[in-house]
Amino acid sequence: MNILLFSARRLSLFISSLVVSSGIVFALLRLLPGDLAQAKLGIQATPESLAILRHEMGLDRSLLSQYLDWLIHALHGDLGVSILSGADITAEIAQKATVTIPLVIMASIIAVLISIPLGMYAALRYRNFDGVATSGISQLGIAVPIFWSGILIATVFAVLWPLLPAGGFPEIGWSEPGNAFKSMILPVFTLALGQGAVLMRFARSATIDTLQQDYFRTARATGLSRFQALRIHGVRNAMIPVISVLGMQMATLIVEAIIVENVFALPGIGQMLLQDVNNRDLLKVQGIIAVTTSIVFLVSFIVDLVLGLLDPRVRQK
Amino acid sequence: MRKLFKGNISLIAGLSMISFTFFLLILSYIWTPFDPLEVNPDDSFAGVSATHILGADNFGRDILSQIIVGSRVTLLVAALSVTIAMSLGVSMGLAIAVAKRAYQSPMIYAVNIALAFPAALLAIILAAVYGASTLTAVSAIGIATAAAVAQVTRRTAAGILSSDFVLAAHASGASTWWIVRKHVMPNLRASLLIQASAAVSISVLAESSLSYLGLGTPPPAPSWGRMLAGSQQYLFVNPLLAIWPGIVIVIVVLGFNLLGDGVREAFDPTLRRSET
């Protein structure tokens, strides 16, 4: 398939996914017993004031027209205002994203950097004790809930051996770069270890696969050592599944970031989301979920494009 | 039977860990050292001792008793959500696999959309609407996991449907339903067992995360995730409190993951040869 046609198809898939998923979230959040006006005015509101507010907020129109209205505003970068505080939702998300996005990106990079060499090592030595032990550690890493590894990491590096802060983030954010960076180290590693354990399994099985390929045997026959041949053929072959799994894992990674932010009291999108859920600030919850799912679809769109460019076989499907 | 277990370390280890979990569950109905909710100010932060084998928390509640009883919520949520995930996911996956081509892509599209909502995210949405409860946790975990099960089932079933024996059955006039029953289901059995055990692990992890975030089963019922959330406030006083509930969660999750690996090994002769 032609690259342009392939990209156009993926782009239309990406856009339609955004519209459909935000529609589902919208519908789910409108299933609420009671409604937004009730949530805003409280249970003591008079029917008249409720009716006026419903009209002001457009709640008396059909769900579809309300959704289209929200969608058009959202596409212009306007997610509305919080029901409780009246604050602009887009601005708040943008501000909190300065914590969450660096967290997710740094953790992804470190996860890839840990998982590929370790996965390849476990594959090379898969008949030996150390190889089995390495993949055993990744099994264990997958079974550990992310909040527990966060608590343990905080216990070791902040409580028993006070090197880094156990949580929190400078009030003025990245304007205090040293302290901001310090508060990110433990959360980033917590997230990276959990993700790295998952990615390592894929790097390992891709490498085991490479070891059995004819081109690998040919490379060995030309006199390269196992290690040299693997450096040429193995790294790229291990990268492909790791990158595509990382793309598929994006949704999970964001959820884990939400949890890690709560473990380390980082004032990011995740912590805000949970507060809004507890306050039933539905419009804000809707905005945050719309943004996070857009990121998930955007990443999988980019990963698809990159894999399609790298590997012509992907385009055929 | 003995052949199945021979040399299959994953299967043996997995089943032992799972038995341990069920032992805790049964024990919770027979005997616990203390009432898990009994507050004992004198024993606040009691260390490991003969009375409190694993110590006590800030209210002096016995940790071991809470862990034993905490297995109930974890296993209840896992059992219910895996039932939802497997029945919904397998029927969706099979339906997509046998559907006409024109119907397949919209159904695959729907599954892909659902995959963008992991269990915890869906649970957060449901909690925003209905408030957090065991029911919201179970539905969120069940539906989110169903999407993953549907995807794997569809792929596996599509592979079976494209094999020669299915073609032969078609040629001899067999109906689709007959083929699904006689050819697809028996060949799916191992894959379903592996998926079910993976689904249990996912559910247990998701349930404990939700309880940790305060979005799972509400107090007072003891739950491992909430015990860990409580322990975090007292890390500087008693870091040991953060150890025990985590260990039991890992035992359950690891147990079901290993069971999945063990089943895969037992049913896939090519794996057996290369691994041993």
Side-chain angles (χ1 to χ4, degrees), chain A residues 16-17 32 139 147-148 255 263 280, chain B residues 109 128-129 131 232 242-243 261:
Chain A
S16 74
S17 307
L32 180 77
Q139 271 277 18
F147 59 91
W148 192 45
V255 167
V263 175
R280 303 270 181 111
Chain B
Y109 179 81
V129 180
Q232 208 186 344
I243 300 289
D261 287 355

Side-chain angles (χ1 to χ4, degrees), chain A residues 55-125:
Chain A
H55 184 71
E56 269 174 24
M57 295 173 78
L59 296 175
D60 48 358
R61 288 180 296 147
S62 76
L63 266 186
L64 186 66
S65 88
Q66 285 184 51
Y67 169 62
L68 290 176
D69 200 41
W70 178 85
L71 185 67
I72 289 166
H73 279 98
L75 289 175
H76 288 89
D78 172 18
L79 293 167
V81 294
S82 155
I83 306 174
L84 294 175
S85 65
D88 185 60
I89 296 174
T90 317
E92 265 196 80
I93 294 178
Q95 198 262 322
K96 301 285 182 186
T98 60
V99 175
T100 308
I101 289 184
L103 172 66
V104 172
I105 291 178
M106 286 196 275
S108 309
I109 294 172
I110 293 174
V112 171
L113 292 181
I114 302 175
S115 62
I116 290 182
L118 279 180
M120 287 174 64
Y121 182 78
L124 262 182
R125 311 269 308 168

Side-chain angles (χ1 to χ4, degrees), chain A residues 12-13 15-18 20-22 24-25 28-33 126-127 136 139-140 142-148 151-152 154-155 158-160 166 201 204 208 212 248 251-252 254-255 258-259 262-264 273-274 276-278 280 282 285 289 292-293 296-297, chain B residues 10 109 112-113 115-132 151 155 205 208-210 212-215 224-225 228-229 231-232 235-237 239-240 242-251 253-255 257-258 261 264 273-276:
Chain A
S12 65
L13 189 69
I15 293 171
S16 74
S17 307
L18 283 188
V20 172
S21 68
S22 63
I24 293 172
V25 173
L28 275 178
L29 290 175
R30 288 301 186 281
L31 288 175
L32 180 77
Y126 79 103
R127 283 167 207 275
Q139 271 277 18
L140 198 62
I142 293 170
V144 172
I146 191 98
F147 59 91
W148 192 45
I151 294 175
L152 291 183
T155 311
V159 177
L160 300 178
R201 294 197 89 186
R204 174 177 176 268
I208 290 185
Q212 288 154 358
M248 285 191 280
T252 317
I254 288 183
V255 167
I258 294 176
I259 299 172
N262 279 280
V263 175
F264 289 97
L273 176 63
L274 285 181
D276 296 332
V277 166
N278 286 327
R280 303 270 181 111
L282 292 186
V285 171
I289 306 263
T292 53
T293 44
V296 171
F297 288 122
Chain B
S10 306
Y109 179 81
N112 283 337
I113 297 268
L115 284 173
F117 294 95
L121 196 64
L122 205 53
I124 289 173
I125 299 177
L126 290 183
V129 180
Y130 297 105
Q151 197 187 35
R155 286 196 188 138
L205 279 178
S208 64
S209 307
L210 289 174
Y212 171 78
L213 295 175
L215 298 174
W224 299 337
L228 283 170
S231 78
Q232 208 186 344
L235 277 189
F236 288 91
V237 190
L240 261 184
I243 300 289
W244 312 115
I247 291 179
V248 277
I249 296 174
V250 170
I251 290 177
V253 177
L254 196 58
N257 280 343
L258 288 174
D261 287 355
R264 200 192 317 258
R273 223 175 296 136
S274 67
E275 292 280 349
T276 48

Side-chain angles (χ1 to χ4, degrees), chain B residues 9-153:
Chain B
I9 300 167
S10 306
L11 195 62
I12 298 169
L15 284 177
S16 330
M17 292 179 184
I18 295 167
S19 318
F20 168 76
T21 321
F22 279 97
F23 169 72
L24 286 186
L25 178 69
I26 295 167
L27 191 64
S28 81
Y29 290 101
I30 303 172
W31 171 85
T32 52
F34 287 84
D35 176 349
L37 301 177
E38 189 187 291
V39 174
N40 254 322
D42 295 342
D43 290 349
S44 181
F45 296 118
V48 172
S49 68
T51 16
H52 293 291
I53 298 170
L54 299 180
D57 68 5
N58 50 319
F59 293 119
R61 293 177 298 193
D62 185 53
I63 296 289
L64 179 62
S65 310
Q66 288 189 63
I67 284 185
I68 294 174
V69 177
S71 64
R72 290 183 197 166
V73 169
T74 306
L75 292 176
L76 175 75
V77 171
L80 294 177
S81 45
V82 170
T83 310
I84 297 177
M86 291 306 287
S87 45
L88 204 64
V90 172
S91 41
M92 276 280 284
L94 281 177
I96 299 174
V98 300
K100 291 205 178 73
R101 250 174 184 276
Y103 298 122
Q104 270 179 346
S105 29
M107 286 156 97
I108 294 173
Y109 179 81
V111 171
N112 283 337
I113 297 268
L115 284 173
F117 294 95
L121 196 64
L122 205 53
I124 289 173
I125 299 177
L126 290 183
V129 180
Y130 297 105
S133 67
T134 313
L135 185 66
T136 57
V138 165
S139 353
I141 299 171
I143 293 169
T145 316
V149 172
Q151 197 187 35
V152 179
T153 307

Side-chain angles (χ1 to χ4, degrees), chain A residues 199-269:
Chain A
L199 296 181
M200 196 185 128
R201 294 197 89 186
F202 289 91
R204 174 177 176 268
S205 57
T207 310
I208 290 185
D209 201 41
T210 307
L211 292 176
Q212 288 154 358
Q213 296 295 326
D214 289 341
Y215 57 73
F216 187 80
R217 204 174 42 201
T218 311
R220 292 273 284 134
T222 61
L224 296 177
S225 70
R226 257 158 80 89
F227 182 74
Q228 286 168 322
L230 204 59
R231 210 177 54 200
I232 297 170
H233 293 296
V235 177
R236 289 181 195 197
N237 277 309
M239 284 292 278
I240 291 178
V242 165
I243 299 287
S244 69
V245 169
L246 188 64
M248 285 191 280
Q249 283 280 101
M250 207 47 184
T252 317
L253 193 60
I254 288 183
V255 167
E256 290 187 340
I258 294 176
I259 299 172
V260 168
E261 281 178 8
N262 279 280
V263 175
F264 289 97
L266 282 183
I269 293 178

